[in-house]
Amino acid sequence: MQRLYRKRIVLGVGGGIAAYKSAELVRRLRDHGAEVRVVMTQGGREFITPLTLQALSGHPVHLDLLDPAAEAAMGHIELARWADLVLIAPATADLMARLAQGVADDLLTTLVLATNAPVALAPAMNQAMWADPATQANRELLLARGIRLFGPGSGSQACGDIGMGRMLEAEELARAAADCFETGLLTGKHLLITAGPTQENIDPVRYITNHSSGKMGFALAEAAAEAGARVTLVTGPVFLPTPDRVQRIDVVSARDMLAACEAAMPCDILIAAAAVADYRPEVVAPHKLKKDPSTGDGLLLQMVRNPDILATLAGRADRPFCVGFAAETENLLEYAARKLRDKNLDLIVANDVANPSIGFNSEDNAVSVIDRQQHETRFGQASKGHIARALVAFIAERYKES
């Protein structure tokens, strides 16, 4: 059931007496870590109130396709994109028929046509309606289109009949929903990821920094969230959107980044992808520095060492599994291996930033990962998103081995 953790589920509630079970289903899904948004048909509202499902889900219930407030922002499309799974429970005979014909005459059926997420139905109807040839033909058509059916079960029904057509119980449906997702490589784990450059002030106008764009760190955060992890992303100044389902903390200097990382501890895995400034000006001028003719054409800045974020976190008593990055312009593997030893890391990712096709600000990357035994694993040039997903899978495997 950990597969439901942090998954986004749109629960559609059709117009049948089994709608009362939807309230318990919302609670079960949330108990297992899912986020739930509810969409109700007009018939569904006759059996259970939207207020009940709003209270249980923690979000307003979506009711009408032509809601001016929601549709100003294309609400049904946003819901369709938001969902990891659309689960309709109960799915009545009428609703199955409309879905089989591709009808889009209310919010729920329109959403089903608009989503790329998996769609699952929990049928609920009288045993005779379930057995009717038209319903069975619709069932086969829906299955052929890739829509999943959870149930129905057999037993006594509200009308007094006994037979197939009962909606499955909430816990059964929650388990079936979990089965729609692959086991997350990092489900239940907390990953702390650093990204981007740091900036070290010279005066209120100028600062020292580097060329890091943050793209690799952000791609890693997105891949880790996809793998089921709870992700805290501590980033220096960059112009990148926050990945979905990632907690972002913005910082400026190396000391800011260290403080934010320490506040985010403990974590299970640390991936330090940020390009942290090794030095900072010893004194930050309170006002903008002016040209001084007495100094000739030069300006002398006295620099001091910044704290070593990665070594500091790797030396804690609650030390996580530590993955560093070595961005080098020469002697790539030699310098990376030295950094692995000096900072007491489990893995280090080495990339050649002298190569413009895989260096700072590029869309692609190519890296080598070195472990404590000095074994090298290479990941050939690919998009940073692709490299990130491969790295997250590799790191998850090594973490479990450790």
Side-chain angles (χ1 to χ4, degrees):
M1 299 295 280
Q2 283 190 326
R3 284 172 288 180
L4 289 174
Y5 180 68
R6 298 178 66 83
K7 295 299 187 294
R8 294 171 163 180
I9 298 178
V10 169
L11 176 63
V13 180
I17 185 58
Y20 79 91
K21 295 183 180 180
S22 301
E24 178 66 11
L25 177 56
V26 172
R27 193 172 73 84
R28 294 288 185 179
L29 292 170
R30 294 196 69 196
D31 284 348
H32 294 300
E35 186 174 355
V36 182
R37 303 289 175 92
V38 179
V39 176
M40 300 185 75
T41 66
Q42 180 63 50
R45 285 174 256 175
E46 300 297 325
F47 289 93
I48 185 171
T49 68
L51 184 59
T52 298
L53 296 174
Q54 176 176 318
L56 291 169
S57 68
H59 297 283
V61 174
H62 301 269
L63 302 172
D64 298 311
L65 176 61
L66 300 179
D67 179 345
E71 289 309 304
M74 298 298 285
H76 66 286
I77 299 298
E78 289 304 312
L79 262 181
R81 291 173 178 164
W82 178 86
D84 293 320
L85 171 68
V86 177
L87 170 58
I88 301 177
T92 62
D94 171 70
L95 192 47
M96 288 179 63
R98 288 190 288 136
L99 291 173
Q101 295 303 312
V103 173
D105 59 355
D106 63 8
L107 178 57
L108 183 55
T109 52
T110 302
L111 187 153
V112 170
L113 290 185
T115 192
N116 290 320
V119 178
L121 311 180
M125 63 197 74
N126 170 267
Q127 55 86 23
M129 296 175 70
W130 175 252
D132 188 89
T135 302
Q136 290 303 303
N138 291 332
R139 170 185 174 275
E140 294 300 323
L141 185 55
L142 292 168
L143 288 172
R145 291 178 182 165
I147 291 179
R148 308 178 192 207
L149 266 66
F150 301 160
S154 180
S156 60
Q157 301 181 327
C159 61
D161 286 356
I162 297 176
M164 293 290 292
R166 279 178 60 93
M167 189 169 93
L168 299 182
E169 299 303 317
E171 187 62 23
E172 295 176 282
L173 290 174
R175 281 197 295 269
D179 289 339
C180 293
F181 302 105
E182 295 181 4
T183 302
L185 293 170
L186 294 170
T187 297
K189 303 302 178 186
H190 178 204
L191 265 69
L192 174 59
I193 299 175
T194 66
T198 61
Q199 292 178 357
E200 308 299 334
N201 287 338
I202 298 172
D203 61 25
V205 176
R206 305 176 183 90
Y207 55 81
I208 296 169
T209 191
N210 57 63
H211 293 294
S212 174
S213 65
K215 291 177 182 177
M216 193 68 236
F218 274 62
L220 285 163
E222 183 174 17
E226 289 175 359
R230 176 169 69 90
V231 181
T232 302
L233 175 64
V234 180
T235 178
V238 296
F239 299 96
L240 295 172
T242 305
D244 206 16
R245 286 172 274 192
V246 168
Q247 180 191 9
R248 174 175 176 170
I249 301 171
D250 289 288
V251 298
V252 176
S253 70
R255 287 177 291 178
D256 295 338
M257 183 170 283
L258 175 58
C261 288
E262 289 180 322
M265 294 289 283
C267 67
D268 298 292
I269 299 173
L270 166 68
I271 304 178
V276 181
D278 292 324
Y279 296 91
R280 69 180 186 275
E282 184 175 26
V283 177
V284 178
H287 303 289
K288 180 182 175 182
L289 294 174
K290 301 296 184 181
K291 295 178 183 177
D292 185 352
S294 67
T295 64
D297 294 330
L299 172 66
L300 181 64
L301 289 176
Q302 182 66 39
M303 308 293 285
V304 295
R305 289 281 305 252
N306 266 324
D308 190 319
I309 297 173
L310 186 49
T312 300
L313 298 179
R316 289 172 58 109
D318 58 352
R319 177 189 184 280
F321 185 87
C322 293
V323 181
F325 267 67
E328 303 291 349
T329 59
E330 60 178 350
N331 301 325
L332 179 64
L333 299 181
E334 177 188 344
Y335 289 162
R338 183 186 305 169
K339 186 174 181 179
L340 175 83
R341 293 190 302 270
D342 292 347
K343 297 181 187 291
N344 185 32
L345 308 181
D346 298 285
L347 298 171
I348 193 156
V349 181
N351 64 303
D352 181 4
V353 293
N355 183 340
S357 66
I358 57 173
F360 290 130
N361 290 296
S362 66
E363 297 301 321
D364 287 0
N365 208 346
V367 301
S368 291
V369 182
I370 302 172
D371 62 20
R372 287 179 179 269
Q373 289 72 43
Q374 302 300 305
H375 296 149
E376 178 192 357
T377 304
R378 295 184 181 181
F379 296 84
Q381 184 168 342
S383 71
K384 287 183 175 176
H386 180 87
I387 293 288
R389 286 189 289 273
L391 283 175
V392 163
F394 183 84
I395 291 166
E397 180 182 349
R398 291 304 183 92
Y399 168 75
K400 289 176 182 177
E401 290 175 358
S402 70

